[in-house]
C-alpha cells in the first residue's frame, strides 16, 4: 500500500483520466457561469492547508491536558468537539475512541471514504484506496506494520468502520515526557495518522519511545 509521500515521486506523470475529466467538467461549469474557480480553490485550501488535521490536533491536545474535557469528549464526542468550534458537514455525528496500552484503535470506511472533514481536513489518498479499505478489516496488524506501527501481541486492535451516520476519530495516547508541555506544544506532536490510528504521535525533542 502506498503512502502519501510516494505520490511526490511521480509528480511529473501525465494527469490521470479522472483528473482530466474533473478538469473538463470544471471548465464547462465555469464557462456556463455555474461555478467560480477562485471559490473552489478557496474551499480546497481551507481543508488542505488551513483546516487540515490541525483542528483535530487541538482536540487531542485539550483532551490530553484537561481531564474534564477528555471525559466530555468520550461521553459526547460531537458536542465536545463543537465546544472548540469544529462542526459542520461530514462532522455532524462523531465518536471518539481512545487508545490505551490494552487497545489500539484504527479507522476505515469500507464502503467509500467517509471522513471527519471539520477535524481532519481532506482524506489522504490511501484512505480512499480499495486496498486500505479491504485490508484494514482483514489484516489490520499487517496494514499497521506497513505504516511503521508495530502493535504488541497482547494489545487488541479494534477497527472502526465510519459511515454516513457516524465518523470515528482516534484519541491517541499521550507520549511520555510531555508533562511540562502546554496545549499548543502538545498539538504539534499530534499527527493526522495518529487520529486515524495508522500512526502514532511524534515524540517530544529528546523523548524516547
Amino acid at each position: 500500500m502506498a503512502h502519501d509521500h510516494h505520490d511526490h515521486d511521480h509528480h511529473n506523470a501525465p494527469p490521470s483520466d479522472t483528473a482530466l475529466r474533473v478538469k473538463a467538467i470544471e471548465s464547462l461549469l465555469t464557462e456556463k457561469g455555474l461555478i467560480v474557480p477562485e471559490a473552489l480553490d478557496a474551499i480546497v485550501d481551507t481543508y488542505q492547508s488551513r483546516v487540515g488535521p490541525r483542528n483535530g490536533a487541538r482536540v487531542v491536545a485539550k483532551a490530553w491536558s484537561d481531564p474534564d474535557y477528555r471525559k466530555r469528549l468520550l461521553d459526547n464526542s460531537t458536542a465536545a468537539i463543537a465546544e472548540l468550534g469544529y462542526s459542520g458537514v461530514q462532522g455532524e455525528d462523531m465518536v471518539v475512541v481512545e487508545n490505551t496500552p490494552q487497545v489500539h484503535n484504527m479507522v476505515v470506511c469500507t464502503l467509500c471514504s467517509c471522513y471527519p472533514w471539520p477535524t481532519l481536513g481532506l482524506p489522504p489518498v490511501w484512505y480512499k484506496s480499495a486496498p486500505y479499505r479491504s485490508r484494514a478489516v482483514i489484516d489490520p496488524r499487517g496494514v499497521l506494520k506497513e505504516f511503521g506501527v508495530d502493535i504488541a501481541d497482547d494489545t487488541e486492535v479494534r477497527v472502526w468502520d465510519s459511515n454516513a451516520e457516524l465518523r470515528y476519530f482516534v484519541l491517541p495516547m499521550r507520549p511520555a515526557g510531555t508533562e511540562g508541555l502546554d496545549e499548543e506544544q502538545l498539538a504539534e506532536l499530534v499527527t493526522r495518522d495518529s487520529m486515524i490510528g495508522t500512526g502514532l504521535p511524534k515524540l517530544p525533542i529528546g523523548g524516547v519511545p
Side-chain angles (χ1 to χ4, degrees):
M1 176 163 40
H3 292 193
D4 277 352
H5 63 268
H6 291 169
D7 294 339
H8 300 310
D9 298 335
H10 307 289
H11 65 280
N12 290 324
S16 67
D17 287 344
T18 300
L20 291 172
R21 289 179 182 179
V22 169
K23 189 64 180 175
I25 292 172
E26 180 182 342
S27 298
L28 180 62
L29 293 176
T30 300
E31 183 181 333
K32 291 183 176 295
L34 298 176
I35 62 170
V36 179
E38 293 78 10
L40 285 181
D41 291 343
I43 292 171
V44 171
D45 178 66
T46 293
Y47 283 101
Q48 280 188 334
S49 305
R50 293 191 287 121
V51 176
R54 296 174 187 173
N55 291 350
R58 294 187 184 102
V59 171
V60 171
K62 186 167 183 61
W64 281 349
S65 56
D66 184 340
D68 290 336
Y69 180 76
R70 173 183 161 277
K71 185 178 186 305
R72 294 198 302 277
L73 182 65
L74 296 175
D75 288 345
N76 188 337
S77 305
T78 306
I81 292 171
E83 285 181 32
L84 301 187
Y86 312 137
S87 61
V89 178
Q90 306 294 327
E92 299 93 339
D93 296 294
M94 298 286 297
V95 173
V96 173
V97 290
E98 183 179 28
N99 282 353
T100 69
Q102 294 75 38
V103 176
H104 181 90
N105 297 285
M106 179 178 171
V107 179
V108 68
C109 177
T110 56
L111 292 179
C112 49
S113 57
C114 295
Y115 193 75
W117 287 25
T119 46
L120 293 187
L122 295 175
V125 173
W126 54 260
Y127 184 85
K128 300 180 287 185
S129 71
Y132 176 77
R133 286 158 47 199
S134 59
R135 292 187 53 229
V137 175
I138 298 169
D139 180 25
R141 288 180 185 273
V143 171
L144 288 172
K145 284 185 179 180
E146 293 180 16
F147 278 93
V149 179
D150 287 312
I151 302 299
D153 292 339
D154 58 352
T155 298
E156 177 188 354
V157 176
R158 294 179 184 169
V159 179
W160 301 85
D161 193 359
S162 286
N163 55 58
E165 283 73 41
L166 291 177
R167 283 165 176 75
Y168 293 95
F169 175 104
V170 175
L171 174 60
M173 288 190 291
R174 179 172 178 167
T178 59
E179 293 76 11
L181 302 184
D182 59 25
E183 284 186 27
E184 184 175 344
Q185 293 169 319
L186 288 172
E188 291 298 318
L189 303 179
V190 183
T191 65
R192 178 200 63 197
D193 288 7
S194 73
M195 295 179 283
I196 300 174
T198 54
L200 301 174
K202 291 181 286 188
L203 295 173
I205 296 175
V208 294

